[in-house]
Amino acid sequence: MSDTHKDPILRQGIAGAQMLFVAFGALVLMPLLTGMDPNVALFTAGIGTLLFQLVTRREVPVFLASSFAFIAPIMAIKGEVGLPAVLGGIIAAGVVYILMSLAVKLRGAGFIDRLLPPAVIAPVIISIGLALSPVAVGMAMGGSGDNAIPYTTAIIISMSSLVATLLVATLGRGLFRLVPILAGIVVGCALSAAFGIIDTSGIAAAPWLALPNFVAPEFHWGAILYMLPVALAPAIEHIGGVVAIGS
């Protein structure tokens, strides 16, 4: 194979590795914050991504992960109606996405531009990120509970990871400029190993093969009506992601 063909494959492989870690962190964080099962999220996201790639014929390099827009509503109603009813509400939100996609199919992509122009999509995506910034700051400072890390250690690791990410993003050249987040992860993991805060006992004790802990949904009108308006935000989030990657 010539060097001309090797370079694009290498770039795709490294960019794909970065996407894997970025999507994994976001995907697993959502169920951890809401008390849901991360294994179910990983399984369903994998199936959803494969179906997405099949339907789009691999035209859009997108991995479908958890939407942070659902965190607040899930936490708000889970204690009142239970997890099965929450899952039923999420399914109802999925039906809204299907209806929106049919509308785009029938009326063209311009329908989305008129319904949700960039001036609407951008602030919603920014708001979703800002709403979760306190969680990120809390984790950067060591978190809380039984798994809390000493403040000084946590700040050294988190700030070093952030600085490494920013330096690679601003000063990196060629291939390295594509992977600023991956660089931050490498620095963070190296420092965590040096401080002895990486615990692999759970990995060693986990079974090699096991089914996720699926929960059957229940359709509760209160949960459904609560979730339906929330469905608009992840739809905007997804549209923004596809537009950004397309650009």
Side-chain angles (χ1 to χ4, degrees):
M1 182 180 293
S2 65
D3 293 338
T4 305
H5 290 82
K6 286 182 179 178
D7 186 59
I9 294 176
L10 178 63
R11 291 165 68 93
Q12 290 178 12
I14 295 177
Q18 176 174 259
M19 182 63 186
L20 169 66
F21 287 108
V22 172
F24 177 81
L27 172 61
V28 173
L29 179 60
M30 188 270 197
L32 288 177
L33 292 177
T34 57
M36 303 173 77
D37 189 349
N39 285 326
V40 174
L42 285 166
F43 182 86
T44 52
I47 295 296
T49 299
L50 291 175
L51 289 174
F52 179 84
Q53 296 301 328
L54 178 65
V55 171
T56 60
R57 299 176 183 176
R58 297 184 298 172
E59 292 182 359
V60 186
V62 169
F63 178 85
L64 304 183
S66 304
S67 173
F68 286 176
F70 278 105
I71 291 178
I74 288 176
M75 296 177 68
I77 65 175
K78 181 183 174 186
E80 296 186 13
V81 297
L83 179 59
V86 170
L87 298 178
I90 294 175
I91 291 176
V95 173
V96 173
Y97 300 156
I98 294 174
L99 295 176
M100 290 183 66
S101 65
L102 289 175
V104 173
K105 179 70 174 178
L106 295 173
R107 304 189 60 177
F111 166 75
I112 288 293
D113 293 332
R114 292 189 296 271
L115 180 65
L116 302 170
V120 174
I121 292 178
V124 171
I125 295 176
I126 292 172
S127 299
I128 293 172
L130 290 176
L132 283 172
S133 58
V135 177
V137 172
M139 289 182 170
M141 294 191 299
S144 58
D146 296 335
N147 296 321
I149 300 170
Y151 175 80
T152 302
T153 302
I155 287 295
I156 292 174
I157 296 172
S158 59
M159 290 301 101
S160 298
S161 302
L162 177 60
V163 170
T165 302
L166 294 175
L167 288 176
V168 173
T170 55
L171 303 178
R173 293 292 182 269
L175 190 62
F176 291 103
R177 193 170 185 177
L178 297 175
V179 289
I181 297 175
L182 190 60
I185 292 173
V186 170
V187 170
C189 287
L191 288 174
S192 297
F195 280 104
I197 63 172
I198 294 182
D199 183 10
T200 59
S201 59
I203 300 175
W208 281 86
L209 296 173
L211 287 174
N213 184 26
F214 291 108
V215 177
E218 295 178 1
F219 296 99
H220 185 284
W221 276 111
I224 291 174
L225 294 176
Y226 195 91
M227 283 290 183
L228 286 182
V230 181
L232 187 61
I236 294 174
E237 188 179 17
H238 181 70
I239 293 167
V242 172
V243 170
I245 292 175
S247 298

